[in-house]
Amino acid sequence: MAEPVTAQALQERVDGFLAGHDPAGDRLEFLRARFDAGLAWVHYPVGLGGLGAPRVLQPVVDQRFAAAGAPDNSPRRIGIGLGMAAPTILRHGTAAQRARFLRPLWTAEEVWCQLFSEPGAGSDLAGVATRAVRDGDGWLIDGQKVWTSMAHQARWGILLARTDPAVPKHAGLTYFLCDMHAPGVEVRPLRQATGEAEFNEVFLSGVRLDDELRLGAVGEGWAVARTTLMNERVAIGGAALPREGGMIGVLARTWRTRPELRSPALHDEVLRLWVRAEALRLTGIRLRQQLAAGEPGPEGSAMKLAFAALTQQISGTEVELLGAEGLRHDHWRADRPAELDLIGRGPTYRWLRAKGNSIEGGTSEVLRNIVAERVLGLPAEPRQDTGADWKDLPR
């Protein structure tokens, strides 16, 4: 039996790696070598970028590399890949799929997007209408997806499609890895309140995918998608942050450096938000410790729910604190950004963009139902569509 990996052993392993790899050298080669050395995501299996170490030891590695000035893998650009696609491929993928996709995903050679929501299936994700029909040794995909972040940058997408309309909606789904460069994939920008087009709508017209791009068994797509959803909510709401990390840090710095903006009422509000942010941060630490023992559960929904409300209130308080100055937006160009950066933008952008936090990754209304039913054990909401075949449901 292999001895457990310790923090000290990881530090020594990182130091040994740095002795043989110059952080100032070729960025991509450095990241590839780090993955191959098992120092990418240390809790992943050996050979897939990890060492089978406890998840809670990941900051030990990241901090050691950061202190050495090593390049990162652009986590804001590949957040969907890191937080959603990778854990789903690890859990449900074949050995060949893991070997093919995980390394270029982590090194940011391939960007991923999420092809889940549709015009008629957002909160009710199991109602998706995008069809996947057998075509020899592959599948033909037809449908439309919407609110697809980073589709304009993506090389691959995680796709939920309907393979059998003649069974109840949850039973007729299959999960695919979609080639975003395949013929028939069309990405169109969706301009949002910030002025930018971070989101997209994606049209799939006769897109052919080989069966080797199917993730999980035919008809088991909902089980695979649940892995994605649980990890998505942890990725959005439970990110590892230092004290005063994230948006609360921006508000706190403004409060400290701009005394002329202060008032007793705002002092009370800033303090209240600071306490809530710190409580949420500590709860996130506890959640990640629980993850070390297994897969994400419904607790991640509670974290994402709290995160959405908090970021909206922090951004609103920041605009209120700055007054007219807080209403000056960076620009209204219809840019298509390569990554999401809340901290590096202005207060109006943060206030506008935060409105999406209660929609993306599961609406706050749906997450409240999940928390009520799966965490608190309250009775489920009455449903009329769970036993009927999808083809018979009104749309």
Side-chain angles (χ1 to χ4, degrees):
M1 179 181 296
E3 293 189 10
V5 180
T6 65
Q8 181 178 349
L10 279 177
Q11 291 172 345
E12 293 172 354
R13 185 181 286 263
V14 172
D15 292 343
F17 178 87
L18 291 170
H21 300 83
D22 183 7
D26 183 270
R27 177 180 179 275
L28 181 55
E29 290 305 316
F30 184 91
L31 291 173
R32 286 173 173 171
R34 178 178 166 181
F35 183 95
D36 294 340
L39 297 171
W41 29 43
V42 296
H43 60 289
Y44 273 44
V46 173
L48 296 176
L51 297 168
R55 183 191 295 257
V56 293
L57 293 180
Q58 185 66 44
V60 174
V61 171
D62 293 340
Q63 291 164 13
R64 204 74 165 186
F65 276 113
D72 65 22
N73 59 348
S74 304
R76 289 198 299 266
R77 182 168 177 257
I78 61 171
I80 293 173
L82 293 175
M84 304 175 213
T88 307
I89 293 170
L90 179 66
R91 173 79 181 276
H92 299 279
T94 64
Q97 288 170 334
R98 294 174 184 176
R100 163 61 185 87
F101 291 111
L102 291 179
R103 188 176 189 248
L105 183 159
W106 189 86
T107 60
E109 295 172 74
E110 294 179 343
V111 177
W112 287 71
C113 66
Q114 182 185 26
L115 300 167
F116 275 24
S117 294
E118 298 180 3
S123 297
D124 183 20
L125 180 60
V128 296
T130 293
R131 288 297 313 277
V133 178
R134 279 281 192 183
D135 178 47
D137 60 352
W139 300 82
L140 288 179
I141 314 295
D142 288 277
Q144 179 187 356
K145 299 294 182 175
V146 74
W147 310 122
T148 311
S149 300
M150 301 304 296
H152 57 289
Q153 295 275 329
R155 176 64 182 83
W156 294 95
I158 44 177
L159 167 68
L160 191 62
R162 186 161 303 282
T163 48
D164 188 351
V167 295
K169 59 183 181 180
H170 292 84
L173 300 171
T174 303
Y175 198 112
F176 297 92
L177 308 178
C178 181
D179 181 355
M180 295 298 289
H181 292 177
V185 176
E186 181 185 0
V187 179
R188 300 180 190 174
L190 282 176
R191 196 173 187 189
Q192 59 215 66
T194 61
E196 296 182 342
E198 170 197 334
F199 300 109
N200 305 271
E201 52 185 345
V202 179
F203 294 85
L204 305 163
S205 304
V207 177
R208 193 179 193 284
L209 299 178
D210 292 338
D211 191 54
E212 65 186 24
L213 294 176
R214 171 174 49 81
L215 196 65
V218 175
E220 295 295 325
W222 184 248
V224 183
R226 286 188 63 181
T227 297
T228 303
L229 295 173
M230 293 298 101
N231 280 281
E232 177 184 25
R233 289 156 192 169
V234 172
I236 293 174
L241 294 172
R243 177 171 290 177
E244 293 194 3
M247 290 176 63
I248 192 61
V250 178
L251 178 60
R253 285 191 294 274
T254 302
W255 178 267
R256 293 189 182 107
T257 59
R258 300 288 300 278
E260 74 279 7
L261 301 176
R262 300 172 187 169
S263 72
L266 281 172
H267 178 266
D268 180 70
E269 180 67 7
V270 171
L271 184 60
R272 184 177 64 85
L273 291 172
W274 191 97
V275 171
R276 286 182 57 194
E278 181 64 6
L280 186 63
R281 185 184 74 86
L282 296 173
T283 303
I285 293 174
R286 184 177 65 182
L287 176 62
R288 288 189 298 278
Q289 290 172 341
Q290 292 172 343
L291 287 180
E295 292 293 318
E299 297 84 0
S301 298
M303 284 293 300
K304 194 271 175 180
L305 178 64
F307 165 83
L310 184 62
T311 55
Q312 291 174 355
Q313 291 165 8
I314 290 173
S315 61
T317 300
E318 181 189 13
V319 170
E320 183 180 358
L321 175 65
L322 291 167
E325 180 184 339
L327 298 177
R328 289 204 301 265
H329 192 23
D330 304 9
H331 61 77
W332 291 103
R333 298 189 307 270
D335 290 351
R336 304 183 78 182
E339 62 182 32
L340 176 62
D341 180 15
L342 288 175
I343 308 304
R345 300 294 298 275
T348 303
Y349 175 86
R350 281 190 285 275
W351 181 73
L352 290 169
R353 181 59 183 82
K355 302 303 180 187
N357 293 154
S358 55
I359 303 172
E360 59 195 349
T363 66
S364 291
E365 291 77 11
V366 169
L367 296 184
R368 288 188 181 95
N369 278 348
I370 292 174
V371 171
E373 296 172 13
R374 301 181 191 171
V375 179
L376 301 179
L378 298 178
E381 190 174 82
R383 300 292 298 267
Q384 303 298 321
D385 58 356
T386 53
D389 293 345
W390 179 84
K391 63 181 177 60
D392 298 326
L393 298 176
R395 284 183 294 281

